[in-house]
Amino acid sequence: MKRFLFTFLIFATLFFIVEKASWYFVNNAPNREYDRRLEKVLKGDFKKEVLIIGSSRGANNILACQLEAETGLSTYNLSYIGTNIRFHDFILKTYLKFNKAPEKILLFVDHKFTFRKIPTLFFRYDLLYPFSKYEYVNNKLISENEHSFASKAIVLLRLKRDDFSVKKKKLAVNLALTDCGSKPNIIKKDKVFEFEEVIEPYDIKFENKELLRSFKNIQNVCKDYNIELIFVSSPSFSAFNIGFNSRLNDLMLAENKVFVYDTLNPIYKDSNYFNDESHLFINGAKIFTSEISDFLNKNTDK
């Protein structure tokens, strides 16, 4: 019995020490991140009139600070590279839980991949892990089976291997996180690509029910909060995808809008304005942003 008690005491002491040390790493994890936009959302720091949500097209192709200057509407970009519409649904709901609802949301679509599961667009749990000290985030990770329920009591279970480092993560050299949340491409890729003239027909058989549900959820949430929702189709180095745009119009509520870039503008056939086939270089982003600014100025009551 004495041996058992002694062993238990040793175990309890070690567990206490490890758990206390774990709290240090969990609390320090956000400090290592160069992108702490999610943390700002959780702290309720925002009172923006326009919110931009999307994947890399939203992150790279629009300059939120420029849009704010050209429209007079306070603007912030909460687009995350490599994310799908289910993640965008999460970002919107998180923002609304902790912040005042914006007047407008610009939701960037990924053309034919918006409702289709592909390896490059997914729900990025890695963006949530560093902020698991916040119960809201940890609860989300639990609901997604990324953390165990026991992590509510045992903080050690919230840690990933990377969290044990104290070094700050480095920002990708070609992307600069601006004060308004955009990540424009500022260093041109040394890549040759050709304009794609022929677009394959859009086929709904590849659509994913879960992604369609998230699309519907976003629309319903915006309706509930009286938010003007605008779907944004940004340029790719290809012909305009008419089939997807038609499908988008079929799925959207009547009160929502679609903004399509000027498909006749010759710069969108000039590779000097693109960083790759799907993303604009910063010079192209400036022109595209001005198009959106003009659209908002013409459709906003002053």
Side-chain angles (χ1 to χ4, degrees), residues 72-284:
L73 299 170
S74 58
T75 304
Y76 200 79
N77 196 332
L78 280 175
S79 300
Y80 289 87
I81 294 170
T83 57
N84 62 14
I85 198 165
R86 196 165 78 85
F87 190 85
H88 308 157
D89 185 18
F90 164 75
I91 287 294
L92 173 58
K93 289 175 180 175
T94 302
Y95 185 93
L96 294 175
K97 180 175 177 62
F98 297 99
N99 303 270
K100 181 182 177 181
E103 295 176 8
K104 306 174 189 293
I105 286 179
L106 303 179
L107 181 64
F108 275 67
V109 293
D110 286 291
H111 300 173
K112 64 181 179 181
F113 300 123
T114 300
F115 310 125
R116 184 174 174 179
K117 273 195 172 181
I118 59 172
T120 54
L121 297 174
F122 50 96
F123 193 103
R124 287 192 57 186
Y125 301 112
D126 62 302
L127 296 173
L128 273 61
Y129 294 148
F131 305 102
S132 64
K133 76 172 189 177
Y134 296 97
E135 290 303 318
Y136 175 85
V137 173
N138 191 52
N139 288 338
K140 178 62 178 178
L141 290 169
I142 291 172
S143 71
E144 296 282 336
N145 297 314
E146 289 295 309
H147 279 179
S148 71
F149 187 80
S151 65
K152 293 176 75 70
I154 304 173
V155 73
L156 175 63
L157 299 177
R158 303 186 190 190
L159 288 172
K160 303 299 177 186
R161 180 181 299 179
D162 190 49
D163 293 329
F164 290 100
S165 173
V166 294
K167 293 181 179 180
K168 275 207 166 189
K169 295 180 182 177
K170 294 181 179 180
L171 176 66
V173 293
N174 64 312
L175 298 174
L177 181 61
T178 67
D179 291 339
C180 298
S182 292
K183 291 185 176 180
N185 289 301
I186 58 174
I187 299 178
K188 197 83 161 62
K189 281 184 179 179
D190 184 17
K191 183 179 180 181
V192 177
F193 43 92
E194 295 183 359
F195 189 84
E196 186 180 0
E197 293 282 1
V198 180
I199 299 293
E200 64 181 37
Y202 186 78
D203 195 337
I204 64 172
K205 73 179 181 182
F206 294 114
E207 292 181 345
N208 176 268
K209 290 182 179 180
E210 190 176 37
L211 298 179
L212 287 169
R213 186 161 52 248
S214 291
F215 181 76
K216 184 177 181 180
N217 289 343
I218 290 173
Q219 294 195 83
N220 288 337
V221 167
C222 288
K223 186 174 183 178
D224 290 343
Y225 281 83
N226 196 30
I227 300 170
E228 182 181 4
L229 178 58
I230 303 168
F231 300 108
V232 179
S233 180
S234 62
S236 291
F237 205 58
S238 63
F240 179 61
N241 196 316
I242 297 175
F244 170 75
N245 191 62
S246 177
R247 177 60 170 162
L248 181 67
N249 279 278
D250 289 341
L251 292 173
M252 60 181 264
L253 298 178
E255 61 265 31
N256 297 329
K257 300 174 182 175
V258 175
F259 172 80
V260 177
Y261 65 96
D262 181 2
T263 58
L264 298 180
N265 191 330
I267 75 151
Y268 298 133
K269 287 190 175 183
D270 186 342
S271 62
N272 290 313
Y273 292 90
F274 284 80
N275 202 46
D276 55 35
E277 297 90 336
S278 301
H279 306 97
L280 294 166
F281 190 54
I282 189 168
N283 56 353

